[in-house]
Amino acid sequence: MTRRRIDIEEISQDVRSGLGDVPIMEKYHLDPGEYRWLLEKLKELDAIDSMDFHNRMLARQSEIDAVQKRAIPRNYLLYNISIYDATNLNLRGVVTDLTKEGLQVLGIRARLDEISTFLIRSDLFPETTSFGFEAVCKWTRTDRVSGEPSAGFEITRISKPALRELSKITGVLAVSEASTERPAQKKPLR
């Protein structure tokens, strides 16, 4: 089997530019363990700064902990999908992962056990139509560095047509958490 060489400058630029963990793992064909190892190597080589390293390592550990507790694998979105509070369209967030049962949203403050009505507009996705649903907040946190809120929601009420639209999005624009697991093998650095 031929091993793919990873260009340090290219991957460190991806990290510094804010490309998400899952898209980086997909781009370089890394499993979560390889990705963690690579982040550590990038930090050792000063190819990424301490803040990027710290934030990503915390996020990876949180994901690992959550995966071990989760029955349904998450679908990480390859592109930012805007989500709106349906009662106030000025409140906009970004969906970072999505399943038919729940989602994670960055940028919209929520309170634990609060029920929210959300809208995902179709203007970016020609194959979908706008749809809404209700969800209850299951957890919240605020990033210690940026102060940006994030929250996890369980979908409590969604129509069948809206569920079909949600399935289209996850089918076309997402990478399943289960698909990121590969046998561990180290990638040579260049």
Side-chain angles (χ1 to χ4, degrees):
M1 175 166 59
T2 306
R3 291 184 172 203
R4 181 169 185 255
R5 297 182 68 81
I6 296 175
D7 184 317
I8 292 293
E9 277 305 309
E10 184 181 358
I11 195 167
S12 60
Q13 178 58 36
D14 287 340
V15 170
R16 288 191 304 268
S17 72
L19 187 62
D21 293 330
V22 171
I24 289 174
M25 286 188 283
E26 285 295 307
K27 180 177 179 178
Y28 297 98
H29 307 288
L30 301 168
D31 67 38
E34 293 170 325
Y35 180 61
R36 183 183 180 100
W37 175 85
L38 187 58
L39 285 175
E40 290 168 354
K41 290 298 175 193
L42 290 172
K43 175 64 178 110
E44 285 175 23
L45 296 169
D46 291 324
I48 59 173
D49 66 31
S50 296
M51 189 67 69
D52 281 330
F53 175 76
H54 178 71
N55 288 341
R56 287 180 186 266
M57 291 305 275
L58 281 177
R60 292 300 308 144
Q61 189 57 51
S62 296
E63 288 171 15
I64 290 166
D65 293 345
V67 167
Q68 292 171 346
K69 294 177 191 173
R70 229 182 342 265
I72 297 175
R74 287 184 175 173
N75 295 304
Y76 295 101
L77 299 169
L78 298 173
Y79 302 96
N80 288 341
I81 295 180
S82 294
I83 187 166
Y84 298 86
D85 180 322
T87 62
N88 179 356
L89 295 179
N90 291 322
L91 293 177
R92 184 182 72 83
V94 175
V95 179
T96 58
D97 67 68
L98 184 64
T99 71
K100 66 181 181 176
E101 296 187 3
L103 65 156
Q104 179 177 336
V105 176
L106 297 178
I108 294 180
R109 292 204 185 279
R111 291 187 311 268
L112 198 59
D113 297 323
E114 177 182 36
I115 296 175
S116 298
T117 304
F118 291 112
L119 173 67
I120 295 180
R121 295 182 8 196
S122 66
D123 46 1
L124 295 177
F125 316 107
E127 60 277 345
T128 65
T129 59
S130 298
F131 63 96
F133 55 89
E134 280 186 4
V136 62
C137 180
K138 293 304 210 176
W139 59 264
T140 66
R141 69 175 159 240
T142 302
D143 185 276
R144 287 182 268 184
V145 176
S146 70
E148 183 175 35
S150 62
F153 293 89
E154 179 183 335
I155 297 173
T156 54
R157 199 162 97 189
I158 186 168
S159 68
K160 286 184 182 187
L163 187 57
R164 281 192 297 273
E165 296 304 313
L166 185 143
S167 294
K168 285 181 193 176
I169 289 173
T170 58
V172 173
L173 301 175
V175 174
S176 174
E177 183 173 68
S179 72
T180 63
E181 307 215 356
R182 298 190 219 324
Q185 61 184 18
K186 299 293 182 233
K187 306 291 186 221
L189 297 175
R190 169 166 78 162

